[in-house]
Amino acid sequence: MRLDRNANVNYSTNPDNFFNLPFTGICSFMKTEICPDLARLGPGYDVAVLGMPFDVAASARSGARFGPRGVREASTINCDGLYGMYDPVRDTYYLDKGEKIIDCGDVDVSPCGYEQAFENCTAAVKKILSTGALPVVIGGDHSVTIPVLRAFSGFEDICVVQFDAHLDWTDAYGEFRYSHSSPMRRASEMAHVSKMMQIGLRGLGSSGKKDFEQARAWAAIDPKAGLARRTILVNAVEKGRQSEYVELLSRMYADAEDKAELITDVTTLLAQPETASAALETVLSPYWEKQAKNARVQLAVGLFRQARRDIPGACRAGRTAVRLSPDSEPVLTAAADLCWQADRAGTENILKNFLARHPDASAVRLIHARVLSRTGRLDEAMADVKRAVKTSPDKPVILLNAGQVATDCRDFPKAEEYLTRYIDLVAEQNPDADFSSNDIWLKLAGVLHENGRHEEEAEALGSLTDGELAPQARLREAAALAESKRFDDARAVLQGAAEDYPEHLNLFMTAEARMLIEASRPEDALGVMKTALAEQPDDVSLAYDTAMIAQNVGHFEETESILKDILSDDPDHVQAGNALAYLWVTRDMNLPEARRLLEHAYRLSPVDPYVLDSMGWLCFKEGRYDQAAEFTLASLKRLFDVEVACHLVEILAVSGRDHEAEKLFRELEQRAGSDALVLDLAKRLNYKIK
């Protein structure tokens, strides 16, 4: 039924001159007609305005419930009945085409919960849609988007455009999944919502990193992939909401055109250590059985079981995949990875049988070569590598993998040849190829290092200038230059890297200092560290490294001062406490305080080999030889260190365990006989160097 155009009663004594000013009458949106009873709303309207005065889902500041009232009040300012809505900038009138707008009042809400309020809102919007009008809903906190979007369930491919500083992708506050921070997450779970556009995102703390990652992942979903909300499925699995992901998986399977592909994708997606579980396998197993004759599904099953550390189960799935597609190179390649750990001999046989039928399958031959190399049959492995390269000399991926297998076989000249050809071939086939962040330079540099070609190694590393591997490349480049006795060039590389990557300043300046120590320039090394510490005085790691270099140089008072400063800020700094105590013990000073520090460090880190050694050396200084030997042996079992081994030899010798001491010394002599500490120990204990 149509209502009269304006619900405001005309009490004018001159009906022909009815002003209908903004401050008169019931405050409807833009002073439009009012229909608070939706049962009476009929067709013929273009826009129907609906208030949703709800803010129960707001986690912080309330008050949004007054939004519909405030918007209506503000809307009347521009609705002076005498002059209309004229825009002087654009020289136009708005809503002058006879648009029919009606105000449908507010949704009935409860202040004590959301369920009924959401249900009422959805029903009201559905009613408006049934009349052909466009619903315009005034909130309310952001959660009101959820019941509004639910009302569009009969539509397809809905696109949501959100103007907001916040992502609104939070999954839940505790168990509450319908907060003002979650409407876009809930929208993503609705089958009819296929796209979203979010404009204005800028709010710090609006959502966590994982929320943004999951939102981007949802955006990457192909809308044509049925209702396969993979991101939602993963989230439900991670949260343990079994009923939710069981229902979703069932719906996904029913709607999928290619059901085998769906199960493959879903299984692979969930084949992660943090999601794969026995409970989830129980849910997935019926779908696996339905697609049991699909090789790709079997490979996905293998990956899932591998993630669960069910190595035999992964292998069984891999072998099944090979039986289903015995001549598929990709299937065989994936199956070999699944089977290797559980059945090495069987994996080798599978590969050999395939190569007997397909001798020119270069990728499989390289996998076979890698298997051979892992079992120590290096000559056979290299024969396979050479044949693969001869068969496919113009395939970059073959050359790259051949270089890696040759490296594993320690055939470094061939590895260099293949990796160099790979770089040249890629550059030839794609002149615009960008190698600036490619880890190929690290691989090639490693091979050149083994070949003793340090200047060329440095040159290769210098080609890796971008990406997350660049800082590592600078360290290795400097080391290669130092191997070539180009110390000034090496220092220049490290100094440039410190400027380019200030977040790694500690790393580069410490490396420079150690390089200077190796070059017998200890004072210069300490100067570098002091400069770095002056630039970053709050860097505890840098301070500790500076203290250690000061100790190596013999600046014991400076070492002590720095370590005390660290401990004053952090009494639980195990390394600083241990280092300071060890400094005192070796110099026979402050032994009671050293014991206090070491006992505290031992309580914090009872398996630290350096703490154990310090405890042992303190016990030795105190004449408690049995305890000293016990601590030092425990340290040596955890980490072999020449100095610790020397300590144990001396402890055993002084405590009268001469036979054990000399036996250990001879073992140490074989491992590190030329070490200055070993030579000094031999001199003090009158051991002859053999």
Side-chain angles (χ1 to χ4, degrees), residues 613 616-617 620 625-637 640-658 660-665 667-668 681 684-685 687:
D613 175 56
W617 202 234
F620 175 71
Y625 300 134
D626 289 342
Q627 285 181 288
E630 184 180 341
F631 276 118
T632 311
L633 181 60
S635 172
L636 204 58
K637 285 181 177 179
F640 177 81
D641 183 272
V642 173
E643 186 174 5
V644 177
C646 287
H647 284 168
L648 184 56
V649 171
E650 187 165 355
I651 291 167
L652 294 171
V654 173
S655 61
R657 299 160 66 177
D658 298 320
E660 294 176 71
E662 186 165 359
K663 181 182 178 183
L664 178 59
F665 178 81
E667 293 175 1
L668 179 60
L681 180 65
R684 286 188 289 110
L685 298 180
Y687 289 148

Side-chain angles (χ1 to χ4, degrees), residues 60-78:
R61 187 177 301 166
S62 62
R65 65 184 64 184
F66 300 108
R69 181 175 297 180
V71 170
R72 287 188 174 102
E73 183 72 32
S75 74
T76 64
I77 296 173
N78 297 314

